[in-house]
Every structure is written in C-alpha cells, then in structure tokens.
Amino acid sequence: FSAAAHPERVRVAVVDQIVVGEDGSCDIPHSPCAEDPDQPICLHKNQIDVYQMEAELAVGPVFARHIGHRLYRGEYYSMQSDAHVTFTKGWDVDIIEQMEVTGDEMAVLSTYLTDIAGSIDQKTGLSLRKTRPIMCNTEYEGGVQGKHLRHLSQPEGIPDIQGMPQLQPYWAAGFSFSRGHFIAAVPYDLYQPMIFQGEEMSIGLRGFTIGYDFFAPERSVCFHSYSIGENAAARNKVPHFWENSDKYAGTGKKAMARLLGIVNMNPEVDRSEWNHAEEEKYGLGGARKTSKFYETYGIDVVKKTSERHLCQFVRGRMHKMFMSKLREDGMGIDYSKIDFKWKDPRPNDK
C-alpha cells in the first residue's frame, strides 16, 4: 500500500499458512492501530482479506493459490506474487501502463523476479535496474511424479523491445499481472496437491488454449528476497510444504498425472488412469490447441525433449513476428496465422 500511487484502489488477498503460537498473523500491525493509526495495515484494513490456515495442512503452492483465486472479487485487474516481495514507488500506475500499451486484452505480464539486493533506491523507492528477466528457458526433468517441463534460470538483460512489454512463450507463478478475467478463466486446480514443479506449465498451457498471451514486463515493479547473500540466513529458516510429504504420500504422483493429462503432455498414460473431476472448469479452452504450442516452441511430448536455445528466438524475432498477428479487436494473437516451428540452430552445443 505504501508504495502504491493509488493505495485506495488496491485490494490485497493473502493465504497465510502459519504455525499457531509461533508465527504472527500478517494482518495484525506491529503496534495497535489506536496507538499508531497511520500504519498502512491500519489505514487500509478494510482492503485486506486474509485466509489463515495451519501450516501442517499445507499441500503446496497450487492448492494455496487455488484458495487465493477464490478470494478474487471481480476486480478489473489482478496480480499474483510470491511472498517476500518489495514493490517500487508507483508500481500500480507503472504496471497498468505497461499492460495497456500492449493493446492486447488477453495480455498477461509475468516473470521470474530479480533479487531485491541492489534493486531499489532506498531514498526514492524507485528501481535501480535497467534490466529485466524474460521467460524462455525450459527443459524436461524427471522424478517420482513423472517427466515434466520445468522452467530453468531465465536470462536477464536490457529489453530488446522498447516502449512496451515483450512477448514470451511462458508464464511464471512468482509474478503475474493481467485483466481480472484471467483468474476467472484459468483458476488454479484444487485437485493438484503436493505439486511444485509443473504448476507454471499447467497454468501457462491452459491459459494459452483459452487465448492468453504472455509478456515480460519492460520494467520490473517489484523484487524478490531470495535465500541468497545477505537474506540467506533469514529465508532459510522459513519452512516449506515438503515437511508434510509423509502425511500425504502418493498424492503428488496422482496430481501430476492429472496435471500432465489435462495439458496433453503424457500421451503414454491412458486417460482412464487419472482423475477427471471438474475438468471442464480446470481444463483447456477452445481458442487454441496444446499441440499448436508444442509445435511452435519445439516441445516433443512423446520423446520428452525440447528444442534448446529458444531464447535466441524469443529475444530476437518472436515479438515482432507474432504481434503482427494480433487480432484487430485486441482479443489475443491469432495463432492460426502462425506456421512457425522452432528448431535448435545449435543442437551440438552443450
């Protein structure tokens, strides 16, 4: 609130997973509001909704964010971010301006956030960064839950496109800003407990089939406190949901089979082997097919491979090539007019 240009327009919904008796509630101010009424949490208490749950019931970010999505109340814009995030001064005006300049009603601005260290001027609250990450680097990884695509470290640099966000193929859970209808159209699937890796491909692919386009913000409006450097000691003390794995043994594998099945990423698994509950609500859209995404961006769901060096295309030609196919009514890019298929130009490079 304190960094927003218009805090009166902001509503915050929090899913607070805590250990009762050890952790404080995030909606309780440091000092009583009667003693210090100018604290942001006091000034804007009617704009904050907190769903508090016991940490021992935590089953991963997908279910927690499903609860978060259920706190949506029809706002025109919606934003999702990780915890431990610090915003720049005037972030709300900045990100809306970036969203609107795309001219794409189906635009979703999303990225992995840069580390907070050295990113914000302590006097002005403004960003010190001229660079920003872009989502273009992913590969298959294995595990007990099954092979799936996982986003790797993403390249960060000065934007290749000036004056607007840059088109990218992938969506990131750590930061996402869009019209509010993105939450209504692509809700988190409550049938995916104990999922961590795979979450972003699920939302991204479902969003793609509904017609959403993903962009890297031209300017970062917030930064993340990662468990590295000066923040490592404090962050490494924060528990995760993995501590509860034994309580929910086997649920993650079933959830991953459903996740991959819905987005057609495990054709080797018979469809009768995974849960189809409420698939109409948590499934695919009708604007595009997942096969179009896989063909365009070099993903082989049978061999479980991805064409590497995609960032070369994303940071070069993708934006201008694909944005030329934006529908006249602004309702997303018309992929039926795109016949591009990415092939690794340097397959022998390590």
Side-chain angles (χ1 to χ4, degrees):
F1 289 105
S2 59
H6 297 284
E8 73 280 2
R9 301 178 186 174
V10 177
R11 176 175 164 268
V12 175
V14 180
V15 178
D16 200 13
Q17 302 175 117
I18 67 171
V19 177
V20 179
E22 294 182 18
D23 301 320
S25 177
C26 67
D27 59 345
I28 296 178
H30 294 295
S31 301
C33 290
E35 297 177 6
D36 187 1
D38 292 330
Q39 297 172 90
I41 202 169
C42 299
L43 293 172
H44 305 285
K45 61 182 179 181
N46 292 329
Q47 297 161 248
I48 304 171
D49 285 311
V50 177
Y51 182 91
Q52 191 176 98
M53 60 182 289
E54 295 182 15
E56 66 179 19
L57 300 178
V59 289
V62 174
F63 188 76
R65 285 169 172 151
H66 166 81
I67 295 173
H69 273 199
R70 294 181 72 161
L71 295 173
Y72 173 66
R73 293 296 180 267
E75 288 80 6
Y76 191 66
Y77 297 104
S78 64
M79 181 175 68
Q80 172 177 304
S81 77
D82 282 341
H84 316 289
V85 168
T86 302
F87 288 85
T88 58
K89 194 71 174 178
W91 64 268
D92 51 334
V93 171
D94 190 355
I95 197 65
I96 288 173
E97 288 178 348
Q98 293 189 61
M99 165 82 188
E100 295 303 328
V101 79
T102 66
D104 188 345
E105 173 70 18
M106 306 298 283
V108 182
L109 279 55
S110 184
T111 191
Y112 279 175
L113 298 175
T114 303
D115 188 68
I116 184 64
S119 294
I120 297 180
D121 188 305
Q122 296 303 307
K123 293 182 179 179
T124 66
L126 300 176
S127 173
L128 296 170
R129 301 278 182 181
K130 302 298 182 184
T131 60
R132 59 93 183 94
I134 188 167
M135 301 294 297
C136 58
N137 189 22
T138 190
E139 287 187 4
Y140 268 95
E141 74 168 12
V144 295
Q145 294 182 343
K147 269 202 163 186
H148 54 273
L149 283 171
R150 176 192 178 186
H151 297 329
L152 306 176
S153 296
Q154 305 301 318
E156 178 165 348
I158 294 174
D160 309 283
I161 299 297
Q162 299 292 317
M164 69 177 296
Q166 186 168 346
L167 199 64
Q168 62 187 14
Y170 299 122
W171 178 84
F175 179 81
S176 178
F177 184 88
S178 64
R179 292 274 197 266
H181 54 66
F182 181 66
I183 284 182
V186 198
Y188 268 90
D189 186 350
L190 81 162
Y191 298 99
Q192 293 179 9
M194 303 308 290
I195 291 292
F196 184 65
Q197 304 299 347
E199 163 198 4
E200 293 168 319
M201 291 306 300
S202 171
I203 295 290
L205 280 160
R206 288 170 55 210
F208 174 85
T209 65
I210 292 170
Y212 288 99
D213 303 315
F214 306 116
F215 293 79
E218 184 181 12
R219 300 177 298 278
S220 296
V221 299
C222 57
F223 299 91
H224 196 290
S225 177
Y226 291 103
S227 55
I228 56 177
E230 61 188 39
N231 298 316
R235 282 297 315 279
N236 283 331
K237 294 179 181 179
V238 177
H240 304 86
F241 74 96
W242 297 301
E243 293 88 344
N244 300 333
S245 296
D246 290 344
K247 295 180 183 178
Y248 308 107
T251 58
K253 188 173 182 179
K254 293 177 181 178
M256 181 62 78
R258 172 183 167 93
L259 184 156
L260 297 176
I262 286 176
V263 298
N264 302 312
M265 198 174 280
N266 58 354
E268 72 282 1
V269 176
D270 191 286
R271 291 180 59 83
S272 65
E273 295 184 17
W274 50 272
N275 181 11
H276 292 265
E278 296 190 82
E279 190 176 351
E280 183 176 347
K281 181 176 182 178
Y282 300 112
L284 305 178
R288 306 165 182 156
K289 296 184 179 298
T290 55
S291 58
K292 184 64 176 181
F293 184 93
Y294 299 142
E295 291 169 2
T296 302
Y297 298 112
I299 297 167
D300 189 326
V301 297
V302 175
K303 296 180 180 178
K304 312 299 182 191
T305 59
S306 59
E307 298 286 334
R308 299 175 65 238
H309 302 111
L310 177 62
C311 291
Q312 177 179 317
F313 170 66
V314 174
R315 300 184 69 179
R317 296 176 289 153
M318 178 181 173
H319 183 92
K320 292 181 179 178
M321 182 186 296
F322 287 12
M323 283 299 287
S324 67
K325 308 303 181 185
L326 179 65
R327 291 183 172 88
E328 291 184 3
D329 61 3
M331 292 300 291
I333 292 169
D334 187 350
Y335 269 76
S336 70
K337 297 181 179 179
I338 294 174
D339 58 6
F340 177 84
K341 296 180 181 179
W342 173 249
K343 293 294 181 183
D344 187 354
R346 309 193 311 276
N348 297 321
D349 287 4
K350 293 184 178 179

